């Protein structure tokens, strides 16, 4: 066996669907215990506030960014989101317009959302985004290579993208809705973790079904196992269909129960969303707020 196959085979993360569902349900049953203003404030501060529309423009992205600036003035008691996430060609727009210290410029790049293009194109996209001011880069794992078990080419590509990103965080999207089974999600997680990913992320939210608690559970178990083996801490990002405070609370509970409080910081826990911020703000304010 090659080293990638060995790493996958060595994993003890459960992949029996019934077992995963049962373990997730145990966590979800206690998620309500964490429903405090402090938790909802933290969740708001963990959002990658996202706009990924075909109609995005320099003007609309600039307005989107200015809204984050205004929020910092209008609701200073809640802090700020973790990042603004846009298409790679808008990195410079966000970087120019953003006034709030501590909010990162995040982009999707590398043939998003399918990952179906030349590696050289992905490398150029990541390099241009970082040159434009991106602090974080979200790329999609090539699922065709994964399906063919072409592990070496797959991991080599991800490593090259990480080296291209340099100090920018690299978040590898597994597209768990396409992978479907815990077994496949574990396989993809292990490969991403051993490819120098700074985060592993559930979904693009564009083609396949988005995040699920079951996928998050398997991914977090893989992150924990990897940390215990290597001592390297990798973040987790849930994205795709997370719209309500209750949705977000479920992922908070999974991260807390599986990974522990050390991961409950925006450095290691993110939620990619567009409408979630309004739901969390409404929960905190006790009345419906449509700010973003």
């Amino acid at each position: 066996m090659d080293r990638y196959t060995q790493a996958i085979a060595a994993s003890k993360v459960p992949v029996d669907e019934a077992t995963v569902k049962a373990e997730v349900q145990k966590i979800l049953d206690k998620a309500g215990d964490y429903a405090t203003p402090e938790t909802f404030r933290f969740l708001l501060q963990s959002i990658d506030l996202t706009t990924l529309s075909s109609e995005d423009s320099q003007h609309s992205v600039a307005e989107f960014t200015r809204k984050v600036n205004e929020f910092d003035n209008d609701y200073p008691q809640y802090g700020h989101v973790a990042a603004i996430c846009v298409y790679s060609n808008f990195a410079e727009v966000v970087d120019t317009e953003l006034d709030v210290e501590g909010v990162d410029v995040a982009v999707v790049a590398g043939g998003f959302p399918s990952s179906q293009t030349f590696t050289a194109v992905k490398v150029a996209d990541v390099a241009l985004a970082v040159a434009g001011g991106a602090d974080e880069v979200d790329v999609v794992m090539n699922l065709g290579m994964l399906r063919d078990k072409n592990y070496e080419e797959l991991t080599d590509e991800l490593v090259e993208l990480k080296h291209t990103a340099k100090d920018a965080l690299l978040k590898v999207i597994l597209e768990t809705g396409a992978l479907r089974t815990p077994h496949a999600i574990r396989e993809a997680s292990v490969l991403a973790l051993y490819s120098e990913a700074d985060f592993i992320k559930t979904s693009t939210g564009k083609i396949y079904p988005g995040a699920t608690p079951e996928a998050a559970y398997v991914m977090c178990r893989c992150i924990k196992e990897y940390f215990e083996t290597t001592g390297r801490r990798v973040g987790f990002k849930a994205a795709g269909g997370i719209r309500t405070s209750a949705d977000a609370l479920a992922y908070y509970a999974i991260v807390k129960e599986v990974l522990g409080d050390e991961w409950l910081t925006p450095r290691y826990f993110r939620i990619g969303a567009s409408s979630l911020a309004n739901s969390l703000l409404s929960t905190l304010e006790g009345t419906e707020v449509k700010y973003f």
Side-chain angles (χ1 to χ4, degrees):
M1 290 191 293
D2 61 46
R3 60 192 176 112
Y4 308 108
T5 304
Q6 288 177 340
I8 294 166
S11 176
K12 305 300 182 185
V13 173
V15 293
D16 175 74
E17 292 192 24
T19 300
V20 170
K21 284 184 179 294
E23 291 301 311
V24 168
Q25 192 57 55
K26 289 179 187 176
I27 295 173
L28 297 183
D29 286 345
K30 63 171 72 173
D33 296 343
Y34 304 125
T36 67
E38 291 75 22
T39 298
F40 291 125
R41 190 179 298 113
F42 166 73
L43 286 167
L44 184 64
Q45 295 169 4
S46 300
I47 291 177
D48 286 355
L49 193 66
T50 302
T51 178
L52 296 174
S53 168
S54 298
E55 297 180 281
D56 284 345
S57 67
Q58 289 193 355
H59 176 74
S60 70
V61 171
E63 287 294 309
F64 189 75
T65 305
R66 286 194 282 270
K67 201 67 177 173
V68 173
N69 295 337
E70 292 166 7
F71 181 82
D72 194 51
N73 293 321
D74 294 342
Y75 293 96
Q77 69 271 34
Y78 298 138
H80 52 70
V81 296
I84 297 173
C85 186
V86 296
Y87 283 113
S88 55
N89 52 306
F90 295 119
E92 190 170 1
V93 176
V94 178
D95 189 49
T96 300
E97 297 292 336
L98 185 60
D99 294 331
V100 185
E101 187 175 348
V103 177
D104 279 355
V105 179
V107 300
V108 295
F112 181 93
S114 68
S115 192
Q116 297 294 358
T117 189
F118 301 100
T119 298
V121 172
K122 298 178 187 182
V123 168
D125 194 11
V126 170
L128 288 167
V130 172
D135 304 298
E136 307 176 6
V137 182
D138 295 22
V139 300
V140 184
M141 176 179 284
N142 189 303
L143 297 187
M145 293 180 189
L146 182 69
R147 181 180 181 181
D148 287 351
K149 298 193 181 301
N150 190 353
Y151 296 150
E152 186 167 2
E153 187 175 356
L154 183 155
T155 54
D156 283 352
E157 179 176 89
L158 291 175
V159 169
E160 185 172 4
L161 294 177
K162 173 55 190 172
H163 290 181
T164 302
K166 297 180 181 177
D167 293 333
L169 296 178
L170 186 75
K171 306 197 200 88
V172 176
I173 306 168
L174 308 185
E175 201 66 286
T176 56
L179 299 175
R180 293 188 296 278
T181 68
H183 188 276
I185 293 168
R186 182 179 70 178
E187 177 187 21
S189 297
V190 170
L191 292 172
L193 290 166
Y194 282 93
S195 298
E196 302 185 24
D198 296 299
F199 272 76
I200 55 175
K201 174 180 170 181
T202 59
S203 320
T204 64
K206 288 294 184 182
I207 303 176
Y208 299 95
T212 65
E214 290 76 19
Y217 175 80
V218 173
M219 291 169 67
C220 287
R221 285 289 302 268
C222 288
I223 290 170
K224 185 72 168 181
E225 183 179 69
Y226 177 77
F227 174 72
E228 290 170 347
T229 302
T230 67
R232 180 171 173 263
R233 200 183 305 275
V234 175
F236 167 76
K237 179 175 175 179
I242 303 170
R243 298 182 176 89
T244 70
S245 298
D247 293 338
L249 192 63
Y251 292 99
Y252 175 94
I254 290 167
V255 170
K256 183 175 179 66
E257 293 293 323
V258 176
L259 291 171
D261 290 345
E262 296 87 351
W263 268 264
L264 290 176
T265 163
R267 174 60 185 84
Y268 295 111
F269 175 60
R270 298 288 181 85
I271 299 177
S274 54
S275 59
L276 175 61
N278 284 335
S279 179
L280 288 168
L281 185 57
S282 298
T283 298
L284 288 163
E285 288 288 291
T287 186
E288 186 175 14
V289 180
K290 294 183 179 180
Y291 192 92
F292 293 103

